[in-house]
Amino acid sequence: MASVPALSDLAVDALVQNIDQIIGPDIHNMENVNYRYVLGYFDQLHWKSVHQLLQKMYQHRRLNVRIFRLLLHSDLEVVDLSGIAETVTNGVVGIIGSACKSIRVLNLANCNKINKGSFVKLFINLQPAWLTNVNLVNCEKLGNEGLEALANIAATSLLSLQVGDSKFHPSFSYYTYSPRFRIATE
């Protein structure tokens, strides 16, 4: 006996198939998109729904800057782009920095297309009081400047920083910023 898909799964599939008709061609007029569907308004979606939509758009090769602008909103507490890292560019990071003002958890693992200038701008634009967990494993272009910007804005809130194989100058001292946070380098 075949299983019946959940209504939310059907809504996500319908969105993926019809996204161009829903949001239209005007990338600069995204604030006017207020299409309501089973999961809710786009700018009120829970992070799990956003993550599910981004993954599905990626699988169907429909993910672009317009989709990021539509789905990354100010109330998101978790932004996990590690599963779609090859699509994350400096432009997407700019959207995160300007749109996502309540991020607690940020996972950009394996996002290698982001340059250190974009990392610095991102960390400056984020609300430091909220950010508690950051994963930057294999973000080779982050550099010391990007990590210093992160440490400077989130010294009091950051509890976990994962950097893994990211390349940093060996003299950089992580603990001078906040002895509270845990750093995983493996």
Side-chain angles (χ1 to χ4, degrees):
M1 180 178 227
S3 65
V4 177
L7 184 57
S8 62
D9 292 337
L10 292 173
V12 167
D13 288 341
L15 276 172
V16 170
Q17 297 305 318
N18 299 297
I19 196 68
D20 292 328
Q21 291 82 15
I22 294 167
I23 64 175
D26 190 1
I27 193 168
H28 301 292
N29 213 8
M30 296 300 285
E31 63 274 2
N32 293 332
V33 176
N34 60 2
Y35 180 78
R36 183 166 169 78
Y37 67 103
V38 173
L39 300 177
Y41 290 105
F42 289 119
D43 64 353
Q44 296 172 358
L45 288 177
H46 187 269
W47 72 267
K48 289 181 181 178
S49 297
V50 170
H51 182 74
Q52 182 183 12
L53 276 166
L54 289 173
Q55 290 289 331
K56 191 70 100 165
M57 292 286 185
Y58 174 73
Q59 291 168 358
H60 290 283
R61 301 185 189 282
R62 311 278 320 248
L63 192 56
N64 56 43
V65 172
R66 291 176 11 184
I67 304 301
F68 282 108
R69 281 202 179 144
L70 179 67
L71 296 177
L72 298 178
H73 59 82
S74 63
D75 293 331
L76 284 178
E77 293 184 359
V78 177
V79 175
D80 182 355
L81 303 181
S82 62
I84 55 173
E86 67 186 50
T87 65
V88 180
T89 63
N90 293 325
V92 172
V93 169
I95 294 168
I96 295 169
S98 63
C100 303
K101 298 301 182 184
S102 301
I103 296 178
R104 288 184 303 104
V105 177
L106 177 63
N107 187 348
L108 295 176
N110 302 311
C111 295
N112 289 317
K113 294 182 179 179
I114 308 168
N115 65 35
K116 67 180 157 189
S118 292
F119 276 117
V120 170
K121 287 178 190 172
L122 169 68
F123 299 140
I124 290 171
N125 287 332
L126 291 177
Q127 295 294 326
W130 293 96
L131 198 59
T132 60
N133 299 290
V134 177
N135 185 339
L136 301 171
V137 170
N138 294 323
C139 294
E140 296 176 357
K141 297 179 183 176
L142 173 62
N144 286 351
E145 295 90 350
L147 190 59
E148 286 175 4
L150 171 62
N152 284 331
I153 66 112
T156 59
S157 64
L158 198 61
L159 301 175
S160 173
L161 173 63
Q162 295 175 317
V163 291
D165 292 333
S166 299
K167 309 295 184 223
F168 302 104
H169 190 275
S171 67
F172 185 78
S173 175
Y174 305 103
Y175 292 101
T176 60
Y177 293 96
S178 175
R180 289 183 46 201
F181 64 72
R182 172 183 59 84
I183 297 177
T185 57
E186 297 176 356

